[in-house]
């Protein structure tokens, strides 16, 4: 018996009648198959639902060349319809980015893309893309051959809206306050005024069934989303009813609470949570910041402070700095919260290679706490100022500020422990291993007297660079860890970081086994605490120690483990740092191609996030690889570019070592004038920060150069 196909088109305005008809047909007519199109399921017996998806979208962050871009289905549809409107229209290098943006902003909706493409009669793709914030006005009259309700996107949405019952309309318009994806918990918190919370899931499900809300999966949690054009329509309905301001306020409150729940400085618990959790809500966090800046500056500042680590870990340095700048400009009261925001601003500025404002930021932090009248808080503020001044490269001023912090602390062990730790870092950078070991030991002694449950007070910092000299008296400087993380931890975690830095100090003096033991103790400390951030740092330190002492298999194991943890945590900068260490290991064992590949991946990540220190240090590592491969010309070019470390906060000593390496390369090439110039530059940098090891190296190098001549 042949099957018969019954087609029912556009059932959404007569769903119940169509469902009843289908039920009767299937019950009494054998061999009949019904194909029904509708914006919501009929809920008929035996129904199988297939949702028509949006078209595939281009990756606007990594735009492929036009031929490849043209194969993406949303782009292909736009170009086909634009060519119908303007026969000479074509996708090319000039309009590719704008077309990709149009497809992305319109979420691959076929009707919206067709309407946008029709506008190429009057506008360029760039002009269309710039006007998509008001997509409903832009996407006006379409083809005369379509039914009336499909001639404009607005008419289509009005048709769908008219089919909603009052409760569905209420929830639908309130969902417009969300940007990007949102959770069921967010809907229940933000949108339930005058709605029974118990009915939210059912209402949301009905909007999903009517194709007004999309469901997406993020890990083990469902997320919901309105397509952009639908969101704009719903937002207009929210504005018309006068509910926009109140709904935005509830939205801000929810996402402020979410951000602060992920701020490690607001809790005494040790958390292994990752910044990736907030990534899912990034668009909503941005929306909350925008509305707060317009109507609630204090909330904007609180939210920006809570997000500063998220921005740093995920590589949103420039964006985070802009939000903090705007929030600080809007909320000018000299409060401790403002001081925290200023600290975050300084960290992000360092990531962007801009140390110009570190001194003024430190001064304002001190001024805020001086006015508060709390001696302990003022002592800590002076300590923070010392850190920022050192990052700025003003060693004498930094030392004065640290001395003032200790004088004001009056026996406060947390400030004194942090100050001793800072002295240890400075001593490592100046090449004084003995002083560094003594300072870290003092810090550990003070930390031992503090309860494990202290609030976060101890900044995560490392020396960052390690300079080494081989058997031929050829120096190398390696960038092995981020100098200024920007994260505060409590006493228990602080011990792990102090142990890791003790390993740096011991390694500086050639104590291979002692350095390894301290690093292993640091790893154990963090594992017991369940702190993956600290564990990955200690493993990275341990891997580099093993590389230095030719324990290559162990080095690979430790670095690979560190890299896996850092990738899981989603800290893009730390991933790049460990990739750089993997590249250094490959270089050391003679795998030049592997070294270039690993460092190249690190460099690409740093460039993508505008991480100036990371980018410059990757050039340094590539210069070392070129030198190891015997390519002196490339090495000299790359290391000359790496001399920009002179202007990168916290990298003055490293720049001195780069200049020393360039002096040696110039000397080997017979360029005695160039060698003398680089030596003079190195001397100036080492002198500025009192790098005793660097100065001693220059004296030895000068003697050797004279003997060769």
């Amino acid at each position: 018996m042949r099957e018969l196909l019954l087609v029912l088109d556009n059932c959404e305005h007569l769903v119940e009648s169509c469902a009843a008809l289908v039920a009767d047909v299937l019950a009494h007519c054998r061999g009949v198959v019904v194909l029904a199109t509708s914006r919501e399921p009929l809920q008929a017996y035996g129904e199988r639902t297939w949702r028509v998806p949006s078209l595939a979208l281009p990756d606007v962050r990594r735009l492929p060349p036009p031929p490849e871009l043209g194969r993406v289905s949303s782009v292909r549809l736009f170009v086909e319809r634009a060519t119908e409107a303007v026969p000479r229209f074509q996708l090319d290098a000039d309009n590719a980015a704008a077309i990709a943006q149009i497809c992305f902003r319109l979420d691959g909706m076929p009707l919206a893309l067709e309407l946008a493409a029709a506008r190429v009669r009057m506008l360029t793709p760039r002009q269309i893309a710039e006007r998509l914030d008001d997509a409903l006005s832009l996407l006006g009259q379409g083809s005369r051959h379509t039914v009336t309700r499909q001639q404009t996107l607005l008419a289509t949405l009005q048709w769908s809206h008219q089919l909603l019952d009052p409760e569905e309309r209420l929830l639908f318009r309130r969902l417009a306050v969300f940007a990007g994806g949102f959770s069921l918990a967010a809907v229940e918190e933000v949108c339930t005024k005058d709605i029974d919370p118990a009915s939210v899931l059912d209402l949301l499900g009905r909007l999903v069934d009517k194709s007004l809300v999309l469901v997406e999966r993020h890990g083990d949690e469902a997320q919901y989303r309105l397509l952009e054009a639908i969101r704009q329509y719903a937002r207009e309905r929210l504005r018309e009813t006068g509910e926009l301001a109140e709904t935005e306020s509830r939205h801000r409150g929810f996402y402020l609470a979410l951000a602060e729940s992920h701020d490690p400085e607001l809790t005494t618990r040790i958390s292994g949570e990752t910044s990736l959790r907030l990534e899912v809500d990034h668009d909503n966090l941005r929306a909350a910041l925008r509305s707060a800046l317009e109507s609630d500056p204090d909330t904007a500042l609180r939210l920006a402070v809570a997000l500063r680590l998220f921005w740093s870990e995920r590589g949103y340095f420039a964006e985070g700095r802009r939000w903090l700048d705007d929030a600080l400009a809007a909320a000018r009261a000299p409060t401790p919260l403002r001081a925290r925001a200023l600290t975050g601003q300084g960290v992000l500025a360092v990531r962007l290679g801009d140390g110009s404002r570190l001194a003024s930021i430190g001064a304002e932090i001190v001024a805020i706490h001086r006015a508060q009248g709390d001696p302990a808080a003022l002592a800590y503020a002076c300590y923070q100022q010392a850190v920022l001044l050192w990052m700025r490269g003003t060693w004498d001023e930094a030392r004065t500020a640290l001395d003032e912090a200790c004088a004001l602390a009056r026996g406060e062990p947390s400030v004194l422990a942090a100050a001793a730790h800072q002295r240890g870092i400075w001593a490592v950078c100046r090449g004084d291993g003995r002083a560094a070991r003594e300072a870290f030991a003092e810090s550990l002694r003070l930390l031992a007297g503090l309860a494990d449950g202290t609030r976060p007070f101890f900044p995560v910092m490392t020396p960052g660079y390690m300079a080494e000299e081989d058997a031929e008296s050829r120096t190398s400087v390696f960038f092995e860890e981020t100098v200024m993380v920007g994260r505060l931890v409590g006493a228990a975690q602080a011990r792990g970081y102090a142990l890791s830095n003790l390993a740096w100090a011991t390694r500086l003096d050639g104590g291979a086994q002692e350095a390894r033991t301290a690093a292993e103790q640091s790893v154990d400390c963090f594992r017991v605490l369940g702190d993956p951030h600290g564990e990955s740092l200690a493993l990275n330190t341990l891997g580099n120690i093993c590389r230095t002492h030719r324990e290559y298999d162990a080095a690979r194991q430790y670095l690979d483990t560190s890299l896996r943890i850092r990738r899981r945590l989603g800290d893009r900068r730390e991933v790049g740092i460990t990739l750089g260490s993997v590249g250094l290991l490959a270089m050391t064992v003679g795998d030049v191609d592997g070294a270039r590949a690993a460092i190249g991946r690190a460099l690409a990540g740093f460039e993508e996030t505008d991480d100036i220190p990371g980018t410059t240090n990757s050039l340094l590592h590539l210069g070392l690889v070129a030198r190891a491969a015997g390519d002196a010309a490339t090495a000299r070019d790359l290391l000359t570019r790496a001399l920009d470390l002179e202007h990168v906060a916290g990298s003055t000593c490293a720049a001195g070592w780069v200049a020393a390496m360039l002096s040696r390369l110039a000397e080997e090439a017979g360029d005695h004038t160039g060698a003398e110039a680089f030596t003079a530059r190195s001397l100036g940098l080492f002198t500025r920060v009192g790098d005793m090891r660097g100065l001693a190296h220059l004296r030895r190098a000068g003697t050797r150069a004279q003997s060769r001549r």
Side-chain angles (χ1 to χ4, degrees), residues 37-38 49-55 110 211 214:
T37 69
S38 175
T49 303
W50 187 79
R51 294 187 181 277
V52 179
S54 296
L55 299 177
S211 303
L214 300 180

Side-chain angles (χ1 to χ4, degrees), residues 135-197:
L136 299 181
S137 297
L138 174 69
L139 307 182
Q141 194 72 25
S143 170
R144 293 189 179 93
H145 301 294
T146 58
V147 295
T148 300
R149 68 176 180 274
Q150 292 180 346
Q151 285 184 356
T152 70
L153 188 59
L154 178 60
T156 302
L157 293 172
Q158 287 173 334
W159 167 264
S160 296
H161 190 251
Q162 289 167 2
L163 299 176
L164 301 179
D165 66 31
E167 270 199 321
E168 291 170 344
R169 291 182 186 181
L170 179 61
L171 181 60
F172 172 63
R173 65 176 176 259
R174 288 179 180 173
L175 293 179
V177 77
F178 295 108
F182 49 89
S183 64
L184 177 60
V187 178
E188 291 171 335
E189 182 72 23
V190 174
C191 303
T192 52
K193 182 184 178 183
D194 303 325
I195 297 178
D196 180 4

Side-chain angles (χ1 to χ4, degrees), residues 251-269:
H251 178 273
R252 287 194 300 274
F254 178 84
Y255 285 102
L256 173 62
L258 176 68
E260 290 188 334
S261 72
H262 286 76
D263 184 349
E265 290 184 22
L266 297 181
T267 179
T268 59
R269 64 186 173 87

Side-chain angles (χ1 to χ4, degrees), residues 112 172 375 520 603 662:
F172 172 63
E520 288 171 343
L603 176 61
L662 282 164

Side-chain angles (χ1 to χ4, degrees), residues 265 304-305 307-309 311-312 317 320-321 324-325 328 337-351 358 361 365 384 388 484-486:
E265 290 184 22
V305 168
L307 291 174
R308 72 206 179 288
L309 274 178
W311 290 321
S312 183
F317 306 132
R321 187 181 183 184
L324 276 167
D325 286 349
L328 284 164
L337 180 66
R338 181 177 180 85
R340 293 181 66 206
L342 288 164
T343 302
Q345 186 186 47
V347 172
L348 291 171
V350 169
R351 296 285 182 265
L358 295 182
I361 287 173
I365 291 171
Q384 290 178 300
L388 293 170
M484 189 177 188
V485 175

Side-chain angles (χ1 to χ4, degrees), residues 568-586:
R568 175 171 60 81
L569 292 173
D571 190 320
R572 300 181 68 182
R573 177 176 173 79
E574 292 183 351
V575 166
I577 289 168
T578 302
L579 277 173
S581 294
V582 169
L584 293 175
L585 175 61

